[in-house]
Amino acid sequence: MSLETLGWGPDLDLALSNAVSPSSSSLVPGRVVRQQRGLLTVQTAGAAFLARAAGRLLHQAQGAEALPTVGDWVLLQPPASGDGEALMHAVLPRRSLLKRREAGSEHDGQLIAANVDVVFLVMGLDGNFNPRRIERALTLAWNSGATPVVLLSKADLAEDAAERVLEVEALAPGVDVLAVSARTGLGVEDVRARLPPGRTGVLLGSSGVGKSTLANRLLDAARLVTQPVGPEDKGRHTTTHRELFVLEHGGLVIDGPGMRELGLWGDEAEGLATAFADLLALATGCRFSDCGHQNEPGCAVRAAVEDGTLSEERRASFEKLQREQAFQHRQTDAAAQRAHKRVERARSNQGWALTRSKRRGE
């Protein structure tokens, strides 16, 4: 398999020339194509190897974000024997990185995929549909540096698929929204068209929304195990690993386990600003530049909610994600932590002074 088949391009030629030194001339480039319970498989031009990070790479990594994940291009030392483990010595610069906060944790992150061009946000129309979850997923996708596309799956089971498409288009201006059905083939060619040769996509969604079924349809083969959705439209975790597949026409797609939680991780602000561009455009009309869109006088966002231009649910969703992002920023930025403590201390002092004043008045 050639590196070009895996998505290698001119930008990586330059990265490779900068990364390879005389002491590392024996290293070969490859792409991480599979991850399961910490085990990585790297495909090179000559062969596929089970691989692990070399000690120096682990030592120099500034957190989990610096370690390889599915979709990464790495430099590795092939094993001396054909059945041994390869050692990954470097991760080549990424053009995108999709990540989330680890489920059940406030501090730890999880890498989902690297070097993807398009993030397919898959949501089922069989009871899984949730506009607020779409907003959250869009924020993650825009933060990654890739382009999001919303796929409303199982469209053959919904009588209102066309209305749902319009609803999502309204909350995701400029984002392609497709109704698809892996069973009937509806929209599958539209998905395939967004993955021309060398372009990589990743399927992101909850368990049971049909990601693996769609991947099988794109592959024209039953490569991935699927199961029917359980009672009350609850998906089952059938896929237990992440894997990159090369499609027959040359596009690439990454499938992985379903995710019930899509917590924000990191301090990137671009994703939230892009996902809620309509709300931020309204905010430019607020009387105060630091308006919190609560009860401040002259709030253009609140005015839009009152006249029906903006839904209260969308405003509340933005506020929730903004708080979550600010919290994550404080976890990674010492200056932000100190500033937050100063604000909280000032609020506490103001509250104490107000209470003392009231008592004196009594």
Side-chain angles (χ1 to χ4, degrees), residues 77-88:
Q77 179 67 58
S81 60
D83 57 353
E85 283 187 343
L87 288 179
M88 296 176 288

Side-chain angles (χ1 to χ4, degrees), residues 128-361:
N128 179 262
F129 185 78
N130 184 332
R132 306 288 79 81
R133 185 175 176 84
I134 292 175
E135 291 168 340
R136 176 178 287 274
L138 282 169
T139 301
L140 260 70
W142 285 123
N143 273 343
S144 75
T147 300
V149 173
V150 179
L151 303 182
L152 300 181
S153 64
K154 305 184 182 182
D156 56 301
L157 301 179
E159 297 180 356
D160 58 348
E163 288 79 4
R164 292 299 194 188
V165 168
L166 293 175
E167 182 179 350
V168 176
E169 287 178 338
L171 61 85
V175 175
D176 289 343
V177 182
L178 306 175
V180 299
S181 170
R183 188 178 69 84
T184 67
L186 172 69
V188 173
E189 288 306 313
D190 292 327
V191 176
R192 190 177 276 116
R194 285 162 174 76
L195 293 174
R199 188 174 172 88
T200 303
V202 60
L203 301 171
L204 182 68
S206 306
S207 299
V209 297
K211 300 187 306 302
S212 295
T213 304
L214 177 58
N216 282 335
R217 188 75 186 228
L218 292 170
L219 288 162
D220 293 321
R223 297 275 295 278
L224 298 169
V225 178
T226 61
Q227 292 188 46
V229 173
E232 301 179 2
D233 296 313
K234 292 184 178 179
R236 305 175 185 178
H237 288 282
T238 305
T239 304
T240 59
H241 66 279
R242 292 188 178 84
E243 188 166 0
L244 181 149
F245 299 95
V246 180
L247 305 181
E248 185 176 354
H249 71 283
L252 302 103
V253 66
I254 298 172
D255 185 40
M259 297 181 180
R260 289 191 176 89
E261 296 183 29
L262 293 176
L264 301 185
W265 182 45
D267 58 357
E268 297 90 344
E270 293 82 0
L272 189 64
T274 306
F276 289 87
D278 56 335
L279 188 149
L280 293 178
L282 288 170
T284 60
C286 292
R287 182 182 302 176
F288 303 108
S289 60
D290 60 347
C291 183
H293 317 308
Q294 298 294 323
N295 299 309
E296 298 91 339
C299 176
V301 172
R302 278 292 180 185
V305 171
E306 292 172 3
D307 65 21
T309 306
L310 180 74
S311 72
E312 168 58 21
E313 291 79 11
R314 184 160 172 78
R315 186 211 64 78
S317 178
F318 172 76
E319 181 184 351
K320 180 179 180 180
L321 291 173
Q322 192 176 45
R323 288 198 308 268
E324 188 174 326
Q325 187 176 67
F327 174 79
Q328 286 298 310
H329 180 52
R330 293 195 298 273
Q331 303 309 302
T332 58
D333 189 301
Q337 290 181 15
R338 291 193 295 270
H340 177 70
K341 288 180 179 178
R342 285 196 297 270
V343 171
E344 291 300 309
R345 191 180 302 115
R347 288 177 176 171
S348 177
N349 291 339
Q350 289 174 356
W352 179 79
L354 180 60
T355 300
R356 185 177 64 173
S357 176
K358 287 182 177 179
R359 286 177 177 174
R360 286 180 176 178

Side-chain angles (χ1 to χ4, degrees), residues 1-9 16 28-31 43-46 73:
M1 182 178 292
S2 70
L3 295 181
E4 287 74 20
T5 300
L6 293 169
W8 186 275
L16 181 60
V28 297
R31 194 170 192 189
Q43 177 71 52
T44 69
W73 290 97

